[in-house]
Amino acid sequence: MSHVPHELHEEFPDAADALHALKTTNAHFTRLADNYHAVNREIHRIETQVAPASDEALEELKKQRLHLKDEIAAMLAAA
């Protein structure tokens, strides 16, 4: 199990400029990015045993993070 946080700038290292541009100009993208960061933070807290959670809850959060990442990737590709 990896305890490395999956920050957007690490997930999309070649898209730093597009990430910044979308965050500052697209409210929907900003909400997606904020939700991604919140879910990602919670996963990291669970994986590092700062916050307790069941395996099922952790898996659900990971699925949520993946869905958000897919949406963000699609928006970056279209930008």
Side-chain angles (χ1 to χ4, degrees), residues 5-78:
H6 296 261
E7 299 298 331
L8 284 176
H9 66 278
E10 295 165 347
E11 294 293 320
F12 303 102
D14 297 333
D17 292 338
L19 281 168
H20 179 73
L22 283 168
K23 282 182 189 177
T24 58
T25 61
N26 187 312
H28 178 65
F29 184 87
T30 301
R31 278 191 302 279
L32 286 175
D34 289 347
N35 288 341
Y36 178 90
H37 286 300
V39 170
N40 190 46
R41 250 188 322 273
E42 187 60 23
I43 290 169
H44 186 65
R45 289 174 49 80
I46 293 167
E47 288 181 340
T48 57
Q49 299 179 347
V50 171
S54 68
D55 290 343
E56 293 81 15
L58 179 58
E59 286 306 309
E60 187 58 37
L61 285 168
K62 286 182 177 182
K63 288 177 187 176
Q64 210 176 342
R65 178 175 67 185
L66 183 59
H67 177 73
L68 289 164
K69 183 179 170 185
D70 288 346
E71 284 190 67
I72 289 167
M75 291 185 77
L76 286 171

